[in-house]
Amino acid sequence: MRVYYEFLFVFYLIFTIIIALFILWNIFKTKKITNIIIGSIALMMFLIRIFMIR
Amino acid sequence: MKFMNDKKIRLIVTTCILTLVLIIGVITSVNFLKFRNYNTEFVVREDVVGKIYKFSEFSKHLKGDVADSNIYEIQGTDNTVAIVKKDKLANYNKIDNIKGLSVCGVDGSSQYDAAKDVFTSNINVLATANDVYENVKSGTYEVGILSYKEAITLINNDQNENVDISDAIVEKVPSLLLIGGTHPNEPSGQLAATVVLENAKVKRGILYVITELNRSAYSYSQPQEGTTWYYHLKTKNGNTRTFKYGSRATNTVDQWPTPDVYTHSSGQQLSSSEVRNINRAYPGNEEGTYTEQIAWVVTNFVNQKDVTMVIDLHEASPEYLTINQCVYHQDAADIWSQMKINGFRYYNPEADKTQKLNMPADQSPLNMHGLTHREVGDYTNAYVFLFETSNASQGKIRGAFTEDLIKYSAPDKFYEALVKYDEEHDTSNIYGAPVEISERVARHVLSFESVITGFNKIKTTRVVTQTGRDNVGDGGVYVGEMILEEGTVPSYYDLIKYGVGNYLLDID
């Protein structure tokens, strides 16, 4: 069970980082200011989540 | 927006917004981390609290982790203990290992009488406790029998300190584990445990106190509830004590992912969020989820120390059915009967008479698993009780979340309106009207004393559990009464009159 949880945890971390990179790429590409604001907030949320993981 | 078509301007705008949001993010994160790492301070009276156990001694994976909390031990001053030389502590840690050795004790002391039945060799009689101490120190006798108070005083006064108290149990005494901080959004449980830890003295028996059972749940607040993180209480000398208001469940940072359905080890299925609720995780599992590992501390500790009574302190929202009441394991039914007759009494100086607090009770349902009053009762020899008080800050119809709501130092207008509505229309939307924190703590402290009263009345030897699970530990022995030093635990009346802060000690 512990191994299963550890595996899911790493899987989750990798996905969080990939999504964060996508958002970062998107906010520099988009021309809509709303997308930039939404993207920045989403990125902040992802970063908080990543750094809160021990 | 036209200006966004210019690549250079777009880059500047994007960078500015991103930086602004990240600054807000960093400030928020630092606050979160500060809250997670904030350690609530509890005053440990060095002359009273003998030992502090770490949770990791009873559930190995918690070592050094956020959940590695403390169990404080308060020994009865009249308890019989064996003192031995420090270098022999490891060998002389069990009563069977010291039975055949040369023993000395104080003439006519109750400790000498208690030890007489245990030791196969004769106990040599000496005049004073100091004689016993000096003789063990010089090596004339290998074991000395003293009261805990005598032993600890002599050991503390000695500069050389080559004598210590052995772990060997000379006389079996009753013990009680008081659990506060099971759910960090139920503050009166933690405060009641703190009041007991910082005030109680024991004459006979052993008192164990946990002030923060689930420290992981103290590391964050309940999402979407907008709760206040800290609340403060003023001590007698006007100093401020800070306590945390956390979440009901273990932090997702410590236990993740959360399954759609939580299947307890008994096979019982509950909603997903309960997987991180420690009071659905008993008996716990050393190799299980993080919450199960913490729950295992209680089960394992109670079994290892052969704890006689366990009290788990809780709160519930005013509209919850199980409120201002007790839930007990069926093995403790006899104790509950005596508590109902002899317990929950307090002296009211204004009326100059002894009054009684109304305390209904339910027996723990046999098929409702994971709770202290079910599993700790089934998996250990202890008599288990759980108490609930009324907490407006947990309720769903409350107004804005403030420190006053936690302490209920100012009435919540929505709850007040509903209480009034119930009175006028003879309805039961609320089962326990919200009351101030001092009254809630007072109820818990009085309940704690009442359990001891009930236990002392029945003069029980351990009964075999009715559920037929393995009966562990040393059963069937009458361990005598548990006695608290009179006047050390604040009374129900005093706690309400002078406030709970008055009974909290100052942090140095």
Side-chain angles (χ1 to χ4, degrees), chain B residues 464-476:
Chain B
V464 175
T465 56
Q466 292 169 17
T467 40
R469 286 221 171 89
D470 286 344
N471 197 15
V472 287
D474 195 1

Side-chain angles (χ1 to χ4, degrees), chain B residues 1 13 40 64 72 83 135 148 169 178 194 206 221 246 279-280 290 309 371 379 413 425 435 439 449 452 455 488-489:
Chain B
M1 278 181 237
V13 170
T40 311
Y72 304 95
I83 54 164
N135 274 287
Y148 177 78
I169 298 162
L178 183 66
T194 311
I206 308 171
S221 58
N279 206 27
R280 298 293 181 279
Y290 202 68
M309 295 161 268
L371 295 100
Y379 281 86
K413 64 178 177 183
H425 297 80
V435 287
E439 191 173 337
E449 288 180 293
I452 297 173
F455 173 79
T488 53
V489 177

Side-chain angles (χ1 to χ4, degrees), chain B residues 75-79 201-205 483-486:
Chain B
Q75 281 270 359
T77 47
D78 285 355
N79 289 358
K201 283 184 181 170
V202 184
K203 212 167 158 52
R204 188 177 187 281
I483 306 165
L484 299 174
E485 254 181 57
E486 214 165 302

Side-chain angles (χ1 to χ4, degrees), chain A residues 2 5 27 31 44 48 52, chain B residues 10 14 25 29 253 257 293:
Chain A
R2 283 181 79 82
Y5 274 111
I27 58 174
K31 285 180 183 176
M44 180 192 75
I48 289 174
M52 273 189 79
Chain B
R10 210 167 67 216
T14 309
S29 306
V253 167
Q293 288 173 24

Side-chain angles (χ1 to χ4, degrees), chain B residues 35-257:
Chain B
F35 181 68
R36 180 170 166 83
N37 296 327
Y38 181 85
N39 288 323
T40 311
E41 288 183 275
F42 302 97
V43 180
V44 177
R45 294 166 296 161
E46 277 178 17
D47 55 330
V48 178
V49 178
K51 268 187 195 168
I52 302 173
Y53 300 97
K54 294 301 282 184
F55 274 22
S56 49
E57 292 173 51
F58 302 92
S59 188
K60 61 185 178 207
H61 297 303
L62 300 178
K63 197 167 176 64
D65 228 334
V66 67
D68 198 0
S69 189
N70 296 330
I71 306 175
Y72 304 95
E73 180 187 279
I74 302 178
Q75 281 270 359
T77 47
D78 285 355
N79 289 358
T80 308
V81 294
I83 54 164
V84 296
K85 277 199 166 181
K86 244 184 189 169
D87 53 344
K88 299 273 177 61
L89 267 181
N91 296 335
Y92 295 168
N93 60 351
K94 286 202 172 82
I95 193 71
D96 287 340
N97 299 356
I98 61 172
K99 264 184 180 170
L101 304 172
S102 59
V103 190
C104 61
V106 183
D107 191 15
S109 66
S110 61
Q111 289 76 27
Y112 170 80
D113 291 338
K116 254 195 319 196
D117 303 335
V118 179
F119 284 94
T120 45
S121 56
N122 284 331
I123 301 175
N124 296 279
V125 179
L126 300 173
T128 63
N130 199 43
D131 293 342
V132 171
Y133 186 82
E134 290 301 330
N135 274 287
V136 173
K137 198 174 155 186
S138 64
T140 317
Y141 296 107
E142 285 160 299
V143 182
I145 299 299
L146 290 174
S147 74
Y148 177 78
K149 192 180 184 177
E150 289 167 339
I152 205 75
T153 314
L154 287 161
I155 290 166
N156 287 342
N157 289 344
D158 191 357
Q159 300 295 322
N160 298 324
E161 285 189 358
N162 61 349
V163 175
D164 211 342
I165 297 170
S166 154
D167 283 339
I169 298 162
V170 183
E171 181 194 13
K172 279 189 83 67
V173 288
S175 50
L176 189 152
L177 171 64
L178 183 66
I179 304 174
T182 294
H183 294 138
N185 60 339
E186 300 168 9
S188 83
Q190 180 181 53
L191 286 175
T194 311
V195 165
V196 170
L197 173 70
E198 297 183 2
N199 292 278
K201 283 184 181 170
V202 184
K203 212 167 158 52
R204 188 177 187 281
I206 308 171
L207 175 63
Y208 301 104
V209 182
I210 297 174
T211 52
E212 293 174 299
L213 179 67
N214 191 352
R215 284 196 83 234
S216 168
Y218 273 106
S219 70
Y220 78 125
S221 58
Q222 192 90 3
Q224 298 174 359
E225 291 287 337
T227 62
T228 305
W229 283 354
Y230 305 95
Y231 62 97
H232 307 86
L233 291 162
K234 281 253 182 291
T235 66
K236 204 183 195 169
N237 301 328
N239 294 317
T240 304
R241 289 279 300 265
T242 306
F243 292 90
K244 281 166 106 172
Y245 188 95
S247 168
R248 180 179 172 81
T250 303
N251 197 335
T252 42
V253 167
D254 301 311
Q255 184 180 324
W256 189 89

